[in-house]
PDB file of all heavy atoms in Angstrom:
ATOM      1  N   THR A  41     259.514 160.892 154.145  1.00 92.00           N
ATOM      2  CA  THR A  41     259.458 162.289 154.200  1.00 92.00           C
ATOM      3  C   THR A  41     258.784 162.886 152.945  1.00 92.00           C
ATOM      4  O   THR A  41     258.054 163.741 153.028  1.00 92.00           O
ATOM      5  CB  THR A  41     260.871 162.974 154.380  1.00 92.00           C
ATOM      6  OG1 THR A  41     261.430 162.380 155.559  1.00 92.00           O
ATOM      7  CG2 THR A  41     260.790 164.425 154.561  1.00 92.00           C
ATOM      8  N   GLY A  42     259.204 162.312 151.758  1.00 86.00           N
ATOM      9  CA  GLY A  42     258.573 162.731 150.542  1.00 86.00           C
ATOM     10  C   GLY A  42     257.002 162.555 150.597  1.00 86.00           C
ATOM     11  O   GLY A  42     256.313 163.335 149.854  1.00 86.00           O
ATOM     12  N   ASN A  43     256.474 161.603 151.206  1.00 84.00           N
ATOM     13  CA  ASN A  43     255.077 161.343 151.297  1.00 84.00           C
ATOM     14  C   ASN A  43     254.296 162.262 152.189  1.00 84.00           C
ATOM     15  O   ASN A  43     253.116 162.322 152.141  1.00 84.00           O
ATOM     16  CB  ASN A  43     254.800 159.884 151.661  1.00 84.00           C
ATOM     17  CG  ASN A  43     255.268 158.952 150.650  1.00 84.00           C
ATOM     18  OD1 ASN A  43     255.320 159.260 149.453  1.00 84.00           O
ATOM     19  ND2 ASN A  43     255.498 157.649 151.020  1.00 84.00           N
ATOM     20  N   THR A  44     255.142 162.988 153.001  1.00 84.00           N
ATOM     21  CA  THR A  44     254.367 163.933 154.012  1.00 84.00           C
ATOM     22  C   THR A  44     254.519 165.420 153.714  1.00 84.00           C
ATOM     23  O   THR A  44     253.858 166.205 154.373  1.00 84.00           O
ATOM     24  CB  THR A  44     254.968 163.650 155.386  1.00 84.00           C
ATOM     25  OG1 THR A  44     256.373 164.035 155.435  1.00 84.00           O
ATOM     26  CG2 THR A  44     254.771 162.249 155.820  1.00 84.00           C
ATOM     27  N   VAL A  45     255.304 165.802 152.677  1.00 80.00           N
ATOM     28  CA  VAL A  45     255.644 167.111 152.470  1.00 80.00           C
ATOM     29  C   VAL A  45     254.415 167.987 152.031  1.00 80.00           C
ATOM     30  O   VAL A  45     254.040 168.986 152.520  1.00 80.00           O
ATOM     31  CB  VAL A  45     256.747 167.310 151.454  1.00 80.00           C
ATOM     32  CG1 VAL A  45     256.978 168.753 151.039  1.00 80.00           C
ATOM     33  CG2 VAL A  45     258.037 166.654 151.961  1.00 80.00           C
ATOM     34  N   GLY A  46     253.746 167.501 150.925  1.00 74.00           N
ATOM     35  CA  GLY A  46     252.561 168.276 150.458  1.00 74.00           C
ATOM     36  C   GLY A  46     252.968 169.352 149.476  1.00 74.00           C
ATOM     37  O   GLY A  46     252.168 170.201 149.082  1.00 74.00           O
ATOM     38  N   ARG A  47     254.231 169.414 149.071  1.00 73.00           N
ATOM     39  CA  ARG A  47     254.703 170.417 148.123  1.00 73.00           C
ATOM     40  C   ARG A  47     255.340 169.594 146.984  1.00 73.00           C
ATOM     41  O   ARG A  47     256.330 168.985 147.179  1.00 73.00           O
ATOM     42  CB  ARG A  47     255.696 171.369 148.745  1.00 73.00           C
ATOM     43  CG  ARG A  47     255.133 172.184 149.803  1.00 73.00           C
ATOM     44  CD  ARG A  47     254.325 173.381 149.267  1.00 73.00           C
ATOM     45  NE  ARG A  47     253.736 174.171 150.325  1.00 73.00           N
ATOM     46  CZ  ARG A  47     252.481 174.436 150.382  1.00 73.00           C
ATOM     47  NH1 ARG A  47     251.695 173.948 149.495  1.00 73.00           N
ATOM     48  NH2 ARG A  47     252.008 175.179 151.298  1.00 73.00           N
ATOM     49  N   ASN A  48     254.846 169.738 145.780  1.00 81.00           N
ATOM     50  CA  ASN A  48     255.204 168.834 144.576  1.00 81.00           C
ATOM     51  C   ASN A  48     256.741 169.088 144.261  1.00 81.00           C
ATOM     52  O   ASN A  48     257.420 168.023 144.030  1.00 81.00           O
ATOM     53  CB  ASN A  48     254.328 169.267 143.352  1.00 81.00           C
ATOM     54  CG  ASN A  48     253.050 168.714 143.470  1.00 81.00           C
ATOM     55  OD1 ASN A  48     252.714 167.714 144.238  1.00 81.00           O
ATOM     56  ND2 ASN A  48     252.104 169.278 142.788  1.00 81.00           N
ATOM     57  N   ARG A  49     257.224 170.293 144.339  1.00 82.00           N
ATOM     58  CA  ARG A  49     258.575 170.444 143.943  1.00 82.00           C
ATOM     59  C   ARG A  49     259.546 169.790 144.936  1.00 82.00           C
ATOM     60  O   ARG A  49     260.494 169.271 144.559  1.00 82.00           O
ATOM     61  CB  ARG A  49     258.853 172.057 143.898  1.00 82.00           C
ATOM     62  CG  ARG A  49     260.136 172.430 143.346  1.00 82.00           C
ATOM     63  CD  ARG A  49     260.125 173.927 142.985  1.00 82.00           C
ATOM     64  NE  ARG A  49     260.520 174.679 144.238  1.00 82.00           N
ATOM     65  CZ  ARG A  49     261.640 175.223 144.399  1.00 82.00           C
ATOM     66  NH1 ARG A  49     262.567 175.140 143.376  1.00 82.00           N
ATOM     67  NH2 ARG A  49     261.887 175.935 145.458  1.00 82.00           N
ATOM     68  N   ILE A  50     259.244 169.963 146.226  1.00 85.00           N
ATOM     69  CA  ILE A  50     260.107 169.351 147.243  1.00 85.00           C
ATOM     70  C   ILE A  50     259.903 167.841 147.204  1.00 85.00           C
ATOM     71  O   ILE A  50     260.966 167.130 147.353  1.00 85.00           O
ATOM     72  CB  ILE A  50     259.677 169.905 148.685  1.00 85.00           C
ATOM     73  CG1 ILE A  50     260.005 171.436 148.670  1.00 85.00           C
ATOM     74  CG2 ILE A  50     260.445 169.255 149.747  1.00 85.00           C
ATOM     75  CD1 ILE A  50     259.458 172.187 149.915  1.00 85.00           C
ATOM     76  N   GLU A  51     258.649 167.346 147.014  1.00 89.00           N
ATOM     77  CA  GLU A  51     258.493 165.923 146.902  1.00 89.00           C
ATOM     78  C   GLU A  51     259.199 165.287 145.759  1.00 89.00           C
ATOM     79  O   GLU A  51     259.789 164.264 145.965  1.00 89.00           O
ATOM     80  CB  GLU A  51     256.970 165.637 146.763  1.00 89.00           C
ATOM     81  CG  GLU A  51     256.534 164.220 146.773  1.00 89.00           C
ATOM     82  CD  GLU A  51     255.045 164.032 146.772  1.00 89.00           C
ATOM     83  OE1 GLU A  51     254.326 164.943 147.230  1.00 89.00           O
ATOM     84  OE2 GLU A  51     254.640 162.955 146.234  1.00 89.00           O
ATOM     85  N   ARG A  52     259.232 165.954 144.625  1.00 88.00           N
ATOM     86  CA  ARG A  52     259.980 165.448 143.502  1.00 88.00           C
ATOM     87  C   ARG A  52     261.460 165.429 143.703  1.00 88.00           C
ATOM     88  O   ARG A  52     262.120 164.397 143.430  1.00 88.00           O
ATOM     89  CB  ARG A  52     259.700 166.328 142.219  1.00 88.00           C
ATOM     90  CG  ARG A  52     258.409 166.012 141.579  1.00 88.00           C
ATOM     91  CD  ARG A  52     258.380 166.684 140.174  1.00 88.00           C
ATOM     92  NE  ARG A  52     258.582 168.128 140.239  1.00 88.00           N
ATOM     93  CZ  ARG A  52     257.632 168.989 140.480  1.00 88.00           C
ATOM     94  NH1 ARG A  52     256.440 168.656 140.607  1.00 88.00           N
ATOM     95  NH2 ARG A  52     257.928 170.296 140.423  1.00 88.00           N
ATOM     96  N   LYS A  53     262.031 166.385 144.438  1.00 87.00           N
ATOM     97  CA  LYS A  53     263.449 166.441 144.776  1.00 87.00           C
ATOM     98  C   LYS A  53     263.825 165.307 145.766  1.00 87.00           C
ATOM     99  O   LYS A  53     264.780 164.647 145.615  1.00 87.00           O
ATOM    100  CB  LYS A  53     263.787 167.837 145.404  1.00 87.00           C
ATOM    101  CG  LYS A  53     265.277 167.919 145.662  1.00 87.00           C
ATOM    102  CD  LYS A  53     266.106 167.659 144.466  1.00 87.00           C
ATOM    103  CE  LYS A  53     267.588 167.757 144.792  1.00 87.00           C
ATOM    104  NZ  LYS A  53     268.418 167.556 143.609  1.00 87.00           N
ATOM    105  N   LEU A  54     262.946 165.018 146.763  1.00 89.00           N
ATOM    106  CA  LEU A  54     263.169 163.982 147.697  1.00 89.00           C
ATOM    107  C   LEU A  54     263.115 162.635 146.965  1.00 89.00           C
ATOM    108  O   LEU A  54     263.892 161.671 147.289  1.00 89.00           O
ATOM    109  CB  LEU A  54     262.149 163.947 148.823  1.00 89.00           C
ATOM    110  CG  LEU A  54     262.322 165.200 149.808  1.00 89.00           C
ATOM    111  CD1 LEU A  54     261.173 165.232 150.792  1.00 89.00           C
ATOM    112  CD2 LEU A  54     263.675 165.100 150.489  1.00 89.00           C
ATOM    113  N   GLN A  55     262.197 162.454 146.001  1.00 91.00           N
ATOM    114  CA  GLN A  55     262.159 161.239 145.216  1.00 91.00           C
ATOM    115  C   GLN A  55     263.515 161.090 144.489  1.00 91.00           C
ATOM    116  O   GLN A  55     264.100 160.010 144.326  1.00 91.00           O
ATOM    117  CB  GLN A  55     261.022 161.245 144.258  1.00 91.00           C
ATOM    118  CG  GLN A  55     259.700 161.073 144.937  1.00 91.00           C
ATOM    119  CD  GLN A  55     258.483 161.261 144.018  1.00 91.00           C
ATOM    120  OE1 GLN A  55     258.653 161.561 142.941  1.00 91.00           O
ATOM    121  NE2 GLN A  55     257.249 161.036 144.578  1.00 91.00           N
ATOM    122  N   GLU A  56     263.945 162.184 143.808  1.00 89.00           N
ATOM    123  CA  GLU A  56     265.199 162.164 143.089  1.00 89.00           C
ATOM    124  C   GLU A  56     266.398 161.698 143.942  1.00 89.00           C
ATOM    125  O   GLU A  56     267.342 160.971 143.651  1.00 89.00           O
ATOM    126  CB  GLU A  56     265.603 163.483 142.409  1.00 89.00           C
ATOM    127  CG  GLU A  56     264.713 163.814 141.232  1.00 89.00           C
ATOM    128  CD  GLU A  56     264.819 165.228 140.802  1.00 89.00           C
ATOM    129  OE1 GLU A  56     265.884 165.903 141.140  1.00 89.00           O
ATOM    130  OE2 GLU A  56     263.997 165.819 140.041  1.00 89.00           O
ATOM    131  N   LEU A  57     266.477 162.381 145.251  1.00 89.00           N
ATOM    132  CA  LEU A  57     267.456 162.024 146.206  1.00 89.00           C
ATOM    133  C   LEU A  57     267.433 160.625 146.598  1.00 89.00           C
ATOM    134  O   LEU A  57     268.495 159.948 146.656  1.00 89.00           O
ATOM    135  CB  LEU A  57     267.265 162.918 147.408  1.00 89.00           C
ATOM    136  CG  LEU A  57     267.836 164.305 147.347  1.00 89.00           C
ATOM    137  CD1 LEU A  57     267.346 165.168 148.569  1.00 89.00           C
ATOM    138  CD2 LEU A  57     269.350 164.350 147.223  1.00 89.00           C
ATOM    139  N   ARG A  58     266.229 160.159 146.782  1.00 92.00           N
ATOM    140  CA  ARG A  58     266.163 158.713 147.336  1.00 92.00           C
ATOM    141  C   ARG A  58     266.559 157.746 146.193  1.00 92.00           C
ATOM    142  O   ARG A  58     267.458 156.848 146.416  1.00 92.00           O
ATOM    143  CB  ARG A  58     264.596 158.333 147.526  1.00 92.00           C
ATOM    144  CG  ARG A  58     264.447 156.833 147.979  1.00 92.00           C
ATOM    145  CD  ARG A  58     262.942 156.587 148.289  1.00 92.00           C
ATOM    146  NE  ARG A  58     262.099 157.069 147.166  1.00 92.00           N
ATOM    147  CZ  ARG A  58     261.599 156.386 146.180  1.00 92.00           C
ATOM    148  NH1 ARG A  58     261.920 155.174 146.089  1.00 92.00           N
ATOM    149  NH2 ARG A  58     260.816 156.866 145.227  1.00 92.00           N
ATOM    150  N   GLN A  59     266.247 158.065 144.863  1.00 93.00           N
ATOM    151  CA  GLN A  59     266.716 157.267 143.819  1.00 93.00           C
ATOM    152  C   GLN A  59     268.185 157.301 143.709  1.00 93.00           C
ATOM    153  O   GLN A  59     268.864 156.254 143.525  1.00 93.00           O
ATOM    154  CB  GLN A  59     266.131 157.668 142.452  1.00 93.00           C
ATOM    155  CG  GLN A  59     266.387 156.814 141.344  1.00 93.00           C
ATOM    156  CD  GLN A  59     265.714 157.199 139.992  1.00 93.00           C
ATOM    157  OE1 GLN A  59     265.001 158.199 140.006  1.00 93.00           O
ATOM    158  NE2 GLN A  59     265.883 156.344 139.007  1.00 93.00           N
ATOM    159  N   ALA A  60     268.850 158.463 143.907  1.00 90.00           N
ATOM    160  CA  ALA A  60     270.268 158.595 143.698  1.00 90.00           C
ATOM    161  C   ALA A  60     270.953 157.879 144.916  1.00 90.00           C
ATOM    162  O   ALA A  60     271.957 157.169 144.640  1.00 90.00           O
ATOM    163  CB  ALA A  60     270.638 160.137 143.729  1.00 90.00           C
ATOM    164  N   VAL A  61     270.443 157.878 146.056  1.00 91.00           N
ATOM    165  CA  VAL A  61     271.064 157.221 147.189  1.00 91.00           C
ATOM    166  C   VAL A  61     270.877 155.650 147.020  1.00 91.00           C
ATOM    167  O   VAL A  61     271.833 154.997 147.268  1.00 91.00           O
ATOM    168  CB  VAL A  61     270.334 157.681 148.521  1.00 91.00           C
ATOM    169  CG1 VAL A  61     270.831 156.760 149.638  1.00 91.00           C
ATOM    170  CG2 VAL A  61     270.744 159.113 148.796  1.00 91.00           C
ATOM    171  N   GLU A  62     269.794 155.195 146.508  1.00 93.00           N
ATOM    172  CA  GLU A  62     269.579 153.741 146.207  1.00 93.00           C
ATOM    173  C   GLU A  62     270.578 153.353 145.200  1.00 93.00           C
ATOM    174  O   GLU A  62     271.002 152.135 145.293  1.00 93.00           O
ATOM    175  CB  GLU A  62     268.101 153.523 145.647  1.00 93.00           C
ATOM    176  CG  GLU A  62     267.095 153.589 146.679  1.00 93.00           C
ATOM    177  CD  GLU A  62     265.714 153.319 146.176  1.00 93.00           C
ATOM    178  OE1 GLU A  62     265.377 153.754 145.028  1.00 93.00           O
ATOM    179  OE2 GLU A  62     264.925 152.678 146.850  1.00 93.00           O
ATOM    180  N   GLU A  63     270.959 154.149 144.300  1.00 93.00           N
ATOM    181  CA  GLU A  63     271.894 153.815 143.254  1.00 93.00           C
ATOM    182  C   GLU A  63     273.377 154.032 143.708  1.00 93.00           C
ATOM    183  O   GLU A  63     274.316 153.758 142.882  1.00 93.00           O
ATOM    184  CB  GLU A  63     271.693 154.570 141.932  1.00 93.00           C
ATOM    185  CG  GLU A  63     270.321 154.258 141.384  1.00 93.00           C
ATOM    186  CD  GLU A  63     269.893 155.122 140.204  1.00 93.00           C
ATOM    187  OE1 GLU A  63     270.608 156.182 139.866  1.00 93.00           O
ATOM    188  OE2 GLU A  63     268.841 154.947 139.629  1.00 93.00           O
ATOM    189  N   GLY A  64     273.526 154.333 144.902  1.00 92.00           N
ATOM    190  CA  GLY A  64     274.961 154.514 145.476  1.00 92.00           C
ATOM    191  C   GLY A  64     275.419 155.937 145.356  1.00 92.00           C
ATOM    192  O   GLY A  64     276.636 156.142 145.655  1.00 92.00           O
ATOM    193  N   GLY A  65     274.677 156.876 144.989  1.00 89.00           N
ATOM    194  CA  GLY A  65     275.088 158.228 144.779  1.00 89.00           C
ATOM    195  C   GLY A  65     275.216 158.940 146.161  1.00 89.00           C
ATOM    196  O   GLY A  65     274.699 158.482 147.248  1.00 89.00           O
TER     197      GLY A  65
END
Side-chain angles (χ1 to χ4, degrees):
T41 304
N43 291 337
T44 63
V45 175
R47 297 280 179 234
N48 289 335
R49 190 167 84 104
I50 298 171
E51 186 176 331
R52 280 192 306 272
K53 183 59 182 178
L54 289 172
Q55 289 172 354
E56 290 172 15
L57 281 169
R58 181 179 48 93
Q59 184 175 8
V61 170
E62 284 179 324
E63 294 171 358

